[in-house]
Amino acid sequence: MVMGKAKLSKPLIFQSKLLCVSLLYLVTTLFLALYTSINPTKCLFRSSPFDPVQTPFFSYPSSYGEHKYVIPTHRSSCSSPIYFSDYWMVLNEILHLCQNSSVSSHALREEVPCGFFKRFPISDPDRMAMESCHGVVVVSAIFNDHDKIRQPKSLGSKTRDNVCFFMFVDDVTLKRLDHHEIISRNSSHEYNVGVWRIIKVSSKDHLYDNPAMNGMIPKHLAHRLFPNSKFSIWVDAKLQLMVDPLILIHALVVSEKVDMAVSKHPFFTQTMEEALATARWKKWKDVDGLRNQMETYCENGLQPWTPKKPYPSDVPDSALILRKHGLNNNLFSCLLFNELEAFNPRDQLPFSYVRDHMKPKLRLNMFEVEVFEQVAVEYRHNLKKDGTTAGEISSLKRTKRVADDLFINSSCCSKCHNYLLEMWGESHD
């Protein structure tokens, strides 16, 4: 510095390149965080970030661990985004549809066999509560303490007044819930956990020996258990809903003018791929039964998926199913359940066979996997004593032709031979 003159210099903040880069990174990160909080994903678009979302109203004891073992997702893009309308507009439209819809499941049961004929083993008060649900019902089930009860998130302020939440459990699961002291009871002996009305299904009088098959009743016969409901959402107990059910029904069913909405399978397009994986990963141990099932379908017209089909896949991810109760959906659900009762509770196997053969045709929205991963969070099943999870699969990859377990020693003469050749692109017809 020269005496008598003050030399101007850059502020200290600009003299360090590292500091400048750090500040730029901080500002950028804050901006992206703010943007993400308003638009959390490229797959979901809301008309307003100010929907009247309720704050959490139920907390679990730390010992219950309802958020353990979450399954991470890694998809960074979305090929088919969906648009969510304003909550109040959705609420009014759904209420209008429910009030002006006349749906009856009884007439269909007189014409088409629909699963079990015995009385579903629940109490009369629970049955009356189910029949009093006249709008939208969200249904889930836990048998043999297979999962945790998880509360749906982002519920609008009027949703609990207009949506029923029912969770079916057996004696084993109910005892476990009692152990953690998370069940509330009222004077009418009604069980509740947060938003969920707990429906006890008697283990002594259960309809099937296999717990998975008992779970298929509320999963696929919601129109029978809730005869006055107009819409339903099935949510596997391994899932936690992250979007208001009214908004989901409106975006995926009502706006699309369909009978049912379900996600595409994340790995498989062909029914036979799912059948091979079911045998290979021992998701159903009766391989001879699986072979008989698939050969029965092939013999009666099961065709592999091609772009000529009006659906983007033959295999759904049936953990989340959204339905508009009516003739088409009810018929499909009944026919599908009959296949499960005849063969096994792996509901992805008969899906395309029933869908492609039934008349009238099912109007179906098979949405992208990326959407599914944004509207629900998936968790692993409860840990068993050996530290593994029930039904756990370490890494599912596309099934290859070599070393398949389902058609070993019989692929050359199988009734599904032509199906397999066409699926593998080797058909010369």
Side-chain angles (χ1 to χ4, degrees):
M1 177 181 293
V2 180
M3 185 66 67
K5 293 184 179 180
K7 184 179 178 180
L8 297 177
S9 61
K10 293 181 180 180
L12 291 176
I13 193 173
F14 295 116
Q15 293 182 15
S16 171
K17 291 183 179 180
L18 179 60
L19 182 59
C20 289
V21 171
S22 299
L23 287 173
L24 179 61
Y25 175 80
L26 176 62
V27 172
T28 304
T29 302
L30 290 174
F31 173 78
L32 290 175
L34 177 63
Y35 178 81
T36 303
S37 66
I38 299 177
N39 297 285
T41 171
K42 295 179 181 179
C43 270
L44 311 179
F45 291 100
R46 291 181 180 274
S47 61
S48 169
F50 305 109
D51 288 341
V53 177
Q54 289 185 319
T55 56
F57 47 84
F58 185 84
S59 59
Y60 292 90
S62 58
S63 61
Y64 188 62
E66 76 279 8
H67 290 147
K68 285 185 177 180
Y69 316 119
V70 64
I71 297 178
T73 58
H74 304 287
R75 302 175 193 273
S76 59
S77 62
C78 181
S79 58
S80 182
I82 60 173
Y83 177 78
F84 288 165
S85 299
D86 174 74
Y87 174 78
W88 298 111
M89 187 277 285
V90 167
L91 175 64
N92 291 329
E93 185 171 351
I94 295 291
L95 290 178
H96 176 76
L97 289 173
C98 292
Q99 292 167 0
N100 293 277
S101 173
S102 57
V103 177
S104 174
S105 62
H106 302 289
L108 179 63
R109 294 212 305 270
E110 294 174 4
E111 301 173 7
V112 178
C114 193
F116 61 93
F117 291 94
K118 293 170 59 178
R119 180 181 175 87
F120 195 53
I122 58 176
S123 69
D124 288 335
D126 284 343
R127 193 182 311 277
M128 292 175 60
M130 290 158 59
E131 293 178 354
S132 67
C133 185
H134 288 81
V136 177
V137 58
V138 179
V139 187
S140 191
I142 303 176
F143 292 102
N144 204 27
D145 194 33
H146 204 50
D147 293 280
K148 307 288 186 186
I149 294 182
R150 298 179 174 92
Q151 302 299 315
K153 298 186 68 175
S154 302
L155 297 185
S157 57
K158 296 296 181 181
T159 296
R160 294 189 68 188
D161 297 331
N162 296 283
V163 176
C164 308
F165 294 85
F166 285 89
M167 174 73 71
F168 294 84
V169 304
D170 60 359
D171 297 327
V172 175
T173 305
L174 190 63
K175 184 178 180 180
R176 190 66 176 170
L177 296 174
D178 261 337
H179 172 75
H180 289 283
E181 300 181 345
I182 61 175
I183 288 184
S184 63
R185 298 177 176 84
N186 59 22
S187 57
S188 302
H189 301 286
E190 174 183 326
Y191 298 96
N192 292 279
V193 177
V195 303
W196 297 102
R197 166 74 179 261
I198 305 300
I199 305 296
K200 177 187 173 182
V201 181
S202 172
S203 298
K204 182 178 67 174
D205 302 316
H206 58 217
L207 300 181
Y208 302 98
D209 292 333
N210 187 335
M213 193 62 209
N214 286 311
M216 293 298 106
I217 297 172
K219 182 173 184 177
H220 291 293
L221 299 182
H223 66 282
R224 285 193 60 183
L225 300 179
F226 304 91
N228 298 309
S229 293
K230 309 306 186 295
F231 298 93
S232 67
I233 301 179
W234 165 261
V235 183
D236 268 14
K238 65 181 179 179
L239 301 181
Q240 181 182 25
L241 270 188
M242 306 301 288
V243 177
D244 188 286
L246 294 174
I247 291 179
L248 281 181
I249 285 286
H250 187 270
L252 298 174
V253 177
V254 175
S255 296
E256 297 293 330
K257 296 181 174 60
V258 296
D259 304 304
M260 179 186 295
V262 64
S263 168
K264 295 191 297 184
H265 194 280
F267 302 105
F268 304 138
T269 301
Q270 304 286 0
T271 299
M272 200 63 70
E273 291 178 313
E274 175 64 27
L276 293 169
T278 298
R280 180 168 301 163
W281 293 103
K282 296 179 174 58
K283 293 188 283 185
W284 186 253
K285 294 183 179 181
D286 183 6
V287 176
D288 288 336
L290 288 173
R291 182 186 297 112
N292 176 60
Q293 179 181 14
M294 299 316 298
E295 291 190 341
T296 300
Y297 291 161
C298 290
E299 189 176 19
N300 287 277
L302 176 67
Q303 297 295 319
W305 182 86
T306 70
K308 294 180 181 179
K309 286 193 176 184
Y311 309 102
S313 174
D314 277 355
V315 188
D317 186 332
S318 59
L320 180 68
I321 308 174
L322 303 96
R323 299 180 174 98
K324 175 186 177 183
H325 291 188
L327 176 62
N328 291 6
N329 167 76
N330 297 356
L331 176 61
F332 174 80
S333 298
C334 288
L335 294 175
L336 184 71
F337 189 90
N338 291 341
E339 296 299 314
L340 304 180
E341 195 171 45
F343 292 105
N344 58 69
R346 302 300 306 176
D347 57 4
Q348 293 156 314
L349 299 180
F351 181 86
S352 68
Y353 176 76
V354 173
R355 179 199 66 188
D356 294 349
H357 282 77
M358 69 168 276
K359 293 182 180 179
K361 290 296 183 183
L362 183 73
R363 296 172 297 179
L364 178 66
N365 173 19
M366 295 191 76
F367 52 88
E368 297 295 329
V369 178
E370 297 93 333
V371 175
F372 169 82
E373 291 178 345
Q374 297 298 330
V375 302
V377 173
E378 184 174 358
Y379 295 83
R380 290 185 175 88
H381 296 298
N382 285 348
L383 287 176
K384 298 190 294 185
K385 291 182 179 179
D386 61 0
T388 61
T389 59
E392 183 177 31
I393 299 174
S394 59
S395 176
L396 271 180
K397 298 181 179 179
R398 293 187 67 83
T399 304
K400 298 181 179 179
R401 178 177 180 175
V402 297
D404 59 77
D405 301 357
L406 190 57
F407 293 98
I408 190 169
N409 297 327
S410 63
S411 61
C412 67
C413 307
S414 166
K415 295 173 183 177
C416 292
H417 183 59
N418 291 335
Y419 180 109
L420 293 169
L421 288 179
E422 187 173 348
M423 184 180 80
W424 288 319
E426 298 179 8
S427 174
H428 300 290
D429 294 341

